[in-house]
Amino acid sequence: MRHARRRVVRRVTRLTAVAGLLLGGAMVAQAAMADEAPATAGAAPGSVRSAPATGTTTAASTGAGLVARLGAARTAGSWIGADGRPVVAVTDTGAAAEVRRAGAEARVVRHSMDELRSATAALRAAPRVPGTAWVTDYRTNRVTVEADSTVSTGDWTRMSQVAEGIGSFVHMERTKGRFTTRLNGAQPILSTGGRCSAGFNVTDGRGDFILTAGHCGPTGSIWFADGQGSRQLGTTVGGSFPGSDFSLVKYDSGGAGPGADVVAIGGGNGVRITGAGDPAVGQRVFRSGSTSGLHDGEVTGLNATVNYPEGTVTGLIQTTVCAEPGDSGGPLFSEGIALGVTSGGSGDCRTGGTTFFQPVTKALTALGVKLIVSAPRQGAGQGTASSGAPSAPATHSAIAPGAVSPGSSAPVTGATTGVTLLARLTDPRNVGPGLLVIAGSLIALVATRWIRSEQDRKAYQRYYSATWG
């Protein structure tokens, strides 16, 4: 009997080693996870703070307020101009005068928001074509429909006919690459379903969770913080995909711990998250991911619809920020304000591309949780790094450098200890999850046997960058 047990343990050990080779090269998860950075002085765990007023948030709220007051029949959205002032699209001179009295710039346009919404409703009612996306472009006063390289000539022709039937303000254009979810962030979390990224830490008042993308894995997915599967983080307990793209991973320990208010931006550096909010078109934003690091860009549209191969997702933020596989679920933020989690897009960080994000405020409301944030730091203004600008520079800037920062800097340090994967697999209570890990690893190994184990993060990045799209 004793010899039989030894044989079982040896076999499981070999399988565990296989899983480790398959997942090797991933970095330890740091962003938006437990015990990653020193606790912020004065921060209350589980506390939530509204987005503090900055130049960007003030301009955004002014424009949004004017649109709400004037109504969808007289306006067609708002955005932040190159000079930082709010710009409001209006359909009549009376509305333009009211906008100017409020200190904003007025742009008289032909089509109201009611007309633009009617156009997107007609597109949704048409037969679904995977590889397409559309968004209302406030600045050009039109609806832009994009089709990636997978869309056939026949489907392109049929969608063009639908667009012509709606009106000339529906613009059709082809885009390079493919619209896909970014499965595989600030730092990686791994399961048998794939590799994703931690987004932000959230709480329901009883326990803490990681907010990430919904396409990363269904309810019940088990997540690890390292490539060897020795540190189990938690389990997906809820979410939505398709339709929306968010999910909750419940910490096994129950709590996120100190440093839960920090997201990693690379090089051991992080950004303190001080609140949650909604972005404005024209706003400069930042995204962090373990595959491609810290990058920035501009919000180009809101309420975007993307027809991924897996299904349609609506209500997304469209940006010019680049992303690559491995960045799914990673955080989108600006001046310390959480804005979204990475959903998908096209392109890469060498040639640029389009990336879509699930708005964080909608996810929080739907899930009934609150963001874990930093308390204000005395003597430090919002958006000003406490020790200078973050050392990991953003790239692909869409707005003048220095105009907006990711937020106050904070170190990302620490590592957790946990029960080994072997111990978990041999625990009778974990037979089901253990078999799932083994089976998933073996299947993935057969499918990807030509991929040799990456030994450092640069090699990992080079591989995914070379094979993206």
Side-chain angles (χ1 to χ4, degrees), residues 36 71 75 80 170 244 263 278 282 290 299 316 319 342 377 427 434 444:
E36 299 298 346
T75 63
I80 299 173
V170 178
S244 298
V263 296
D278 293 313
S290 62
V299 175
L316 298 176
T319 73
T342 307
R377 294 168 59 84
D427 187 336

Side-chain angles (χ1 to χ4, degrees), residues 33-401:
M33 292 184 183
D35 50 88
E36 299 298 346
T40 304
S47 62
V48 179
R49 188 172 308 279
S50 299
T54 65
T56 298
T57 58
T58 299
S61 60
T62 298
L66 287 166
V67 167
R69 185 164 77 245
L70 293 170
R74 303 182 67 197
T75 63
S78 64
W79 62 94
I80 299 173
D83 60 357
R85 294 178 57 209
V87 182
V88 180
V90 296
T91 57
D92 62 74
T93 55
E98 189 167 345
V99 167
R100 295 187 185 104
R101 283 195 296 272
E105 180 183 343
R107 185 80 54 83
V108 179
V109 297
R110 180 176 179 181
H111 304 287
S112 69
M113 183 59 73
D114 282 341
E115 292 178 83
L116 298 175
R117 287 173 179 168
S118 178
T120 57
L123 290 168
R124 284 195 301 271
R128 179 179 177 275
V129 177
T132 59
W134 55 80
V135 66
T136 301
D137 190 335
Y138 299 160
R139 288 177 287 195
T140 61
N141 193 228
R142 66 188 184 187
V143 175
T144 299
V145 180
E146 294 183 336
D148 69 15
S149 59
T150 67
V151 176
S152 67
T153 301
D155 283 338
W156 171 259
T157 300
R158 283 188 287 274
M159 288 222 47
S160 297
Q161 291 172 345
V162 171
E164 289 173 4
I166 297 171
S168 60
F169 60 95
V170 178
H171 176 70
M172 297 284 293
E173 62 182 43
R174 282 279 195 176
T175 185
K176 296 180 180 179
R178 302 166 57 193
F179 289 129
T180 61
T181 51
R182 303 288 164 136
L183 182 62
N184 270 21
Q187 300 297 328
I189 54 177
L190 304 103
S191 78
T192 54
R195 179 179 183 274
C196 268
S197 169
F200 301 98
N201 275 318
V202 298
T203 182
D204 63 1
R206 299 181 299 276
D208 297 342
F209 310 81
I210 298 170
L211 176 65
T212 188
H215 70 262
C216 289
T219 298
S221 299
I222 300 173
W223 293 94
F224 298 88
D226 67 332
Q228 287 67 44
S230 62
R231 293 172 48 208
Q232 185 169 320
L233 271 175
T235 304
T236 301
V237 295
S240 176
F241 180 81
S244 298
D245 197 358
F246 55 79
S247 64
L248 280 180
V249 175
K250 183 174 178 60
Y251 281 106
D252 280 350
S253 62
D261 57 334
V262 175
V263 296
I265 59 173
N269 297 282
V271 169
R272 298 187 189 279
I273 299 301
T274 59
D278 293 313
V281 172
Q283 181 176 349
R284 185 186 181 195
V285 291
F286 300 82
R287 176 202 57 74
S288 184
S290 62
T291 300
S292 55
L294 180 68
H295 290 269
D296 73 329
E298 181 180 334
V299 175
T300 54
L302 305 174
N303 297 315
T305 295
V306 185
N307 292 299
Y308 294 124
E310 303 93 331
T312 300
V313 179
T314 61
L316 298 176
I317 303 165
Q318 184 186 56
T319 73
T320 61
V321 187
C322 70
E324 299 182 359
D327 291 331
S328 276
L332 178 74
F333 50 94
S334 183
E335 299 189 48
I337 304 303
L339 300 173
V341 293
T342 307
S343 175
S346 64
D348 56 39
C349 290
R350 293 168 298 167
T351 60
T354 299
T355 303
F356 299 93
F357 297 85
Q358 165 68 49
V360 73
T361 53
K362 293 180 180 178
L364 296 176
T365 299
L367 294 167
V369 294
K370 296 180 179 180
L371 194 69
I372 298 177
V373 301
S374 297
R377 294 168 59 84
Q378 291 188 354
Q382 171 61 25
T384 303
S386 58
S387 59
S391 62
T395 58
H396 298 293
S397 177
I399 299 178

